[in-house]
């Protein structure tokens, strides 16, 4: 798993590539803490390069959502691949997660 970030007016965009699994969850949380200082910005996760997610990866996303909510910020998802979207649907997290076709659409949804 690799995470890169870009700051924009509406949010910080985090691009995740590779897998988000039990093997990556500690590093994911550590990298997020370094990137999203004090959880003081809205976050968009660009999932275009996300190949695989497991239950621990889902827990990591829920952790991030909770941290942002505690600080009055929001989390949105962009470009979610079909296999990952299926996992969201099977776990009914598609009802919780705000997903958008593009990063731009996710950014506009903050307005």
């Amino acid at each position: 798993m690799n995470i890169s970030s870009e700051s924009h007016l509406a949010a910080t965009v985090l691009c995740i590539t590779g897998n988000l699994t039990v093997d990556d969850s500690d590093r994911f949380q550590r990298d997020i803490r370094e990137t999203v200082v004090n959880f003081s910005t809205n976050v968009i996760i660009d999932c275009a390069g996300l190949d695989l997610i497991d239950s621990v990866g889902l827990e990591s996303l829920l952790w991030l959502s909770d941290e942002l909510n505690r600080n009055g910020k929001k989390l949105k998802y962009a470009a979610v691949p079909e296999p990952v979207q299926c996992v969201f649907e099977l776990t009914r997290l598609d009802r919780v997660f705000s997903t958008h076709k593009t990063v731009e659409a996710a950014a506009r949804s903050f307005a």
Side-chain angles (χ1 to χ4, degrees):
M1 175 200 67
N2 289 313
I3 299 176
S4 60
S5 67
E6 294 179 4
S7 293
H8 294 273
L9 289 177
T12 297
V13 178
L14 303 174
C15 299
I16 301 176
T17 56
N19 300 334
L20 181 52
T21 63
V22 66
D23 297 329
D24 307 298
S25 66
D26 288 339
R27 194 175 86 207
F28 174 82
Q29 290 187 17
R30 188 174 52 251
D31 289 352
I32 295 301
R33 283 191 176 101
E34 291 173 7
T35 305
V36 186
V37 179
N38 297 323
F39 302 97
S40 59
T41 180
N42 292 319
V43 172
I44 299 169
I45 296 184
D46 182 350
C47 299
L50 183 59
D51 298 324
L52 176 71
I53 190 165
D54 69 5
S55 61
V56 177
L58 290 172
E59 287 178 27
S60 294
L61 296 179
L62 289 168
W63 163 81
L64 176 56
S65 180
D66 289 345
E67 291 295 321
L68 290 167
N69 285 334
R70 263 194 278 286
N71 290 283
K73 301 301 176 184
K74 296 181 182 175
L75 174 62
K76 311 235 175 177
Y77 299 88
V80 179
E82 186 63 32
V84 175
Q85 183 64 37
C86 286
V87 171
F88 287 0
E89 291 169 5
L90 286 170
T91 58
R92 297 186 184 208
L93 288 172
D94 61 320
R95 299 175 185 184
V96 177
F97 293 160
S98 177
T99 59
H100 303 270
K101 290 187 187 273
T102 64
V103 170
E104 294 78 15
R108 281 193 304 273
S109 74
F110 286 115

